[in-house]
Amino acid sequence: MEFNEQPINVYIKTNYLNEITDIGSSVFITDPYNWTMIDSGYGDIYSHAKAQYLEKPLTNQFGRYNYRYENGQIVEN
């Protein structure tokens, strides 16, 4: 069996403070315009990025964003 699958891309959206406001994968995002690609690979962590890529949810119990994107890295707020 030959492996011809393309890697799955992980994309984020950020606000003016570089806080990550949304995350998704190329499995579900068909038009990545206005998204930033941050990673690619194979498996559930990539295909189900919204639920599995980050350790915590996008926001905390107070509605504040848990992550920001700076210098090409995801950083906890």
Side-chain angles (χ1 to χ4, degrees), residues 3 10 15-17 26 28-31 36-37 39-40 42 44 46 51-52 54 56 58 61 63 68 73:
F3 187 71
V10 176
N15 63 14
Y16 69 99
L17 297 171
S26 55
F28 301 102
I29 299 170
T30 56
D31 182 9
T36 302
M37 189 179 98
D39 201 359
S40 64
Y42 301 95
D44 286 346
Y46 297 95
Q52 296 185 11
L54 300 172
K56 297 179 180 179
L58 285 177
Q61 68 269 27
R68 66 186 181 281
Q73 299 290 323

Side-chain angles (χ1 to χ4, degrees), residues 7 14 16 19 25 29 33 49 53-54 57 62 64 66 70 75:
T14 57
Y16 69 99
E19 295 170 319
S25 75
I29 299 170
Y33 181 75
Y53 194 81
L54 300 172
F62 305 109
R64 295 184 190 116
N66 283 321
E70 57 182 45
V75 183

